[in-house]
Amino acid sequence: MAGHQRESRLLKLWRNQKRLEFPSFYLELTVIAALSGRTSPDLAENVVTVLEYLRDKFTAARVIDPANGNNVISDDLTGTEKQAVRRLAEAALGGNWSGFVQ
């Protein structure tokens, strides 16, 4: 997970608590893409960056399986499912952090 295990775990908790359709592998690749080039050790800052990516870029991002270039992971979700992820990321960014995960 390219050094972003904490962020992936936290986002998986969020995904599960929000009952989102978002396969783990797809989520992990999305976290890696969102944090590409970032070296900040600050968990909260990195989670905000991932949520901003989910809000701003996720629905249009094409995610390819790094082990199989013919496998388009982003095709695993429908447009409606991607929009649900986007909406909940937007809500999380505008909300109270105390309720992000429980």
Side-chain angles (χ1 to χ4, degrees):
M1 284 186 280
H4 300 297
Q5 293 89 354
R6 298 178 314 149
E7 293 84 352
S8 290
R9 278 190 222 120
L10 192 56
L11 269 292
K12 286 177 185 181
L13 285 170
W14 173 75
R15 172 206 61 194
N16 293 345
Q17 290 178 4
K18 300 300 182 188
R19 293 180 167 77
L20 286 169
E21 289 296 326
F22 199 170
S24 290
F25 186 51
Y26 187 6
L27 176 57
E28 291 167 7
L29 292 174
T30 299
V31 168
I32 291 167
L35 298 176
S36 177
R38 292 184 55 87
T39 58
S40 173
D42 188 289
L43 179 61
E45 184 180 308
N46 288 343
V47 169
V48 167
T49 298
V50 174
L51 290 170
E52 289 170 343
Y53 180 93
L54 290 172
R55 179 193 65 198
D56 300 337
K57 299 178 182 176
F58 174 70
T59 58
R62 183 173 164 91
V63 180
I64 307 294
D65 183 341
N68 177 359
N70 293 321
N71 185 11
V72 182
I73 303 293
S74 51
D75 288 348
D76 289 351
L77 294 183
T78 66
T80 300
E81 291 166 332
K82 290 177 185 178
Q83 284 297 328
V85 172
R86 187 200 62 74
R87 281 191 305 276
L88 286 170
E90 184 174 39
L93 286 164
N96 182 343
W97 279 101
S98 67
F100 181 68
V101 292
Q102 298 178 12

